[in-house]
Coordinates of all heavy atoms in Angstrom, one line a residue:
Chain B
T107 N 19.7 -6.9 88.8 CA 18.8 -7.4 90.0 C 18.1 -6.1 90.5 O 18.7 -5.0 90.4 CB 19.6 -8.1 91.0 OG1 20.7 -7.1 91.4 CG2 20.1 -9.4 90.6
P108 N 16.8 -6.4 90.9 CA 16.0 -7.6 90.8 C 15.4 -7.7 89.4 O 15.5 -6.8 88.5 CB 14.8 -7.3 91.8 CG 14.7 -5.8 91.7 CD 16.1 -5.3 91.6
K109 N 14.7 -8.8 89.1 CA 14.0 -8.9 87.8 C 12.7 -8.3 87.8 O 12.3 -7.8 86.8 CB 13.9 -10.4 87.5 CG 15.3 -11.1 87.2 CD 15.1 -12.5 86.7 CE 16.4 -13.2 86.4 NZ 17.3 -12.4 85.5
F110 N 12.1 -8.3 89.0 CA 10.7 -7.6 89.1 C 10.7 -6.9 90.4 O 11.3 -7.3 91.3 CB 9.7 -8.7 89.0 CG 9.6 -9.6 87.8 CD1 10.2 -10.8 87.9 CD2 8.9 -9.2 86.8 CE1 10.2 -11.6 86.8 CE2 8.8 -10.0 85.7 CZ 9.5 -11.2 85.6
Q111 N 9.9 -5.8 90.4 CA 9.7 -5.0 91.6 C 8.5 -4.3 91.5 O 8.1 -3.6 90.5 CB 10.9 -4.1 91.8 CG 10.9 -3.2 93.1 CD 11.2 -4.1 94.3 OE1 12.1 -4.9 94.3 NE2 10.4 -4.0 95.3
V112 N 7.7 -4.2 92.6 CA 6.6 -3.3 92.7 C 6.8 -2.3 93.9 O 7.3 -2.7 94.9 CB 5.3 -4.1 93.0 CG1 4.2 -3.1 93.1 CG2 5.0 -5.1 91.9
L113 N 6.7 -1.0 93.6 CA 6.9 0.0 94.6 C 5.7 0.8 94.7 O 4.9 0.9 93.8 CB 8.0 1.0 94.1 CG 9.5 0.4 94.1 CD1 10.4 1.6 93.6 CD2 9.9 0.1 95.4
K114 N 5.5 1.4 95.9 CA 4.5 2.4 96.1 C 5.0 3.7 95.8 O 6.2 4.0 95.9 CB 4.0 2.4 97.6 CG 3.2 1.1 97.9 CD 2.7 1.0 99.4 CE 2.2 -0.2 99.7 NZ 1.6 -0.2 101.1
T115 N 4.1 4.7 95.4 CA 4.6 6.1 95.0 C 5.3 6.6 96.2 O 4.8 6.5 97.4 CB 3.3 6.9 94.7 OG1 2.7 6.4 93.5 CG2 3.7 8.3 94.5
G116 N 6.4 7.3 96.0 CA 7.3 7.9 97.0 C 8.3 6.9 97.6 O 9.3 7.4 98.2
Q117 N 8.2 5.7 97.4 CA 9.3 4.8 97.9 C 10.5 4.9 97.0 O 10.5 5.4 95.9 CB 8.9 3.4 97.9 CG 7.9 3.0 98.9 CD 7.5 1.6 99.0 OE1 7.3 0.9 97.9 NE2 7.5 1.0 100.2
S118 N 11.6 4.5 97.6 CA 12.9 4.6 96.8 C 13.4 3.2 96.7 O 13.1 2.3 97.3 CB 14.0 5.3 97.7 OG 14.2 4.8 98.9
M119 N 14.3 3.0 95.7 CA 15.0 1.7 95.4 C 16.1 2.0 94.5 O 16.2 2.9 93.8 CB 14.0 0.7 94.8 CG 13.8 0.8 93.4 SD 13.1 -0.8 92.7 CE 14.5 -1.9 92.9
T120 N 17.0 0.9 94.5 CA 18.1 0.9 93.6 C 18.2 -0.4 92.8 O 18.0 -1.4 93.3 CB 19.5 1.0 94.4 OG1 19.5 2.2 95.3 CG2 20.7 0.9 93.6
L121 N 18.4 -0.1 91.6 CA 18.5 -1.2 90.5 C 20.0 -1.4 90.4 O 20.7 -0.5 90.2 CB 17.8 -0.9 89.2 CG 16.3 -1.0 89.0 CD1 15.6 0.0 90.0 CD2 15.9 -0.8 87.6
Q122 N 20.4 -2.7 90.5 CA 21.8 -3.1 90.4 C 22.1 -3.6 89.0 O 21.3 -4.3 88.4 CB 22.0 -4.2 91.5 CG 21.7 -3.8 92.9 CD 22.6 -2.6 93.5 OE1 23.6 -2.4 92.9 NE2 22.2 -2.1 94.6
C123 N 23.3 -3.4 88.6 CA 23.9 -3.9 87.4 C 25.3 -4.2 87.5 O 26.1 -3.3 88.0 CB 23.6 -2.8 86.2 SG 24.3 -3.4 84.6
A124 N 25.7 -5.4 87.0 CA 27.1 -5.8 87.0 C 27.5 -6.4 85.7 O 26.7 -7.2 85.2 CB 27.4 -6.6 88.3
Q125 N 28.7 -6.2 85.2 CA 29.1 -6.8 84.1 C 30.5 -7.4 84.2 O 31.3 -6.8 85.0 CB 29.1 -5.9 82.8 CG 29.9 -4.6 83.0 CD 31.4 -4.6 82.6 OE1 31.9 -5.6 82.0 NE2 32.1 -3.5 83.0
D126 N 30.8 -8.5 83.6 CA 32.1 -9.2 83.8 C 32.9 -9.3 82.6 O 33.7 -10.3 82.4 CB 31.8 -10.6 84.5 CG 30.9 -11.5 83.6 OD1 30.6 -11.1 82.5 OD2 30.6 -12.6 84.1
M127 N 32.7 -8.4 81.7 CA 33.4 -8.5 80.4 C 34.5 -7.4 80.3 O 35.1 -7.1 79.3 CB 32.3 -8.2 79.2 CG 31.3 -9.3 79.1 SD 30.0 -8.9 78.0 CE 29.2 -7.7 79.0
N128 N 34.8 -6.8 81.4 CA 35.8 -5.8 81.5 C 35.5 -4.6 80.5 O 36.4 -4.0 80.0 CB 37.2 -6.3 81.2 CG 38.4 -5.5 81.7 OD1 38.3 -4.9 82.7 ND2 39.4 -5.4 81.0
H129 N 34.2 -4.3 80.3 CA 33.9 -3.2 79.5 C 34.0 -1.8 80.4 O 33.8 -1.8 81.5 CB 32.4 -3.3 79.1 CG 32.2 -4.3 78.0 ND1 31.0 -4.7 77.6 CD2 33.1 -5.0 77.4 CE1 31.1 -5.5 76.6 NE2 32.4 -5.7 76.4
N130 N 34.4 -0.8 79.6 CA 34.5 0.5 80.3 C 33.2 1.2 80.4 O 33.0 1.9 81.4 CB 35.5 1.3 79.5 CG 36.9 0.9 79.8 OD1 37.6 1.1 80.8 ND2 37.5 0.2 78.8
S131 N 32.4 1.2 79.3 CA 31.1 2.0 79.4 C 29.9 1.1 79.8 O 29.8 0.1 79.3 CB 31.0 2.6 77.9 OG 32.1 3.4 77.5
M132 N 29.1 1.9 80.5 CA 27.9 1.2 80.9 C 26.7 2.3 80.8 O 26.9 3.5 80.8 CB 27.9 0.7 82.4 CG 29.0 -0.3 82.5 SD 29.1 -1.0 84.2 CE 27.7 -2.1 84.2
Y133 N 25.5 1.7 80.6 CA 24.4 2.6 80.3 C 23.1 2.0 81.0 O 22.9 0.9 81.3 CB 24.1 2.4 78.8 CG 25.3 2.6 77.9 CD1 26.1 1.5 77.7 CD2 25.5 3.8 77.3 CE1 27.2 1.7 76.9 CE2 26.8 4.0 76.6 CZ 27.5 2.9 76.3 OH 28.6 3.0 75.5
W134 N 22.1 3.0 81.3 CA 20.9 2.6 81.7 C 19.9 3.1 80.8 O 19.8 4.3 80.4 CB 20.5 3.1 83.1 CG 21.1 2.3 84.3 CD1 22.2 2.6 85.1 CD2 20.6 1.1 84.8 NE1 22.3 1.6 85.9 CE2 21.4 0.7 85.8 CE3 19.4 0.4 84.3 CZ2 21.0 -0.5 86.5 CZ3 19.1 -0.8 85.1 CH2 20.0 -1.2 86.1

Side-chain angles (χ1 to χ4, degrees):
Chain B
T107 56
K109 293 189 181 304
F110 301 94
Q111 184 72 49
V112 178
L113 289 178
K114 294 182 179 179
T115 297
Q117 286 185 318
S118 62
M119 80 161 295
T120 300
L121 281 63
Q122 306 288 351
C123 175
Q125 52 90 12
D126 58 5
M127 296 170 288
N128 202 36
H129 285 173
N130 285 285
S131 299
M132 299 185 73
Y133 314 81
W134 277 104

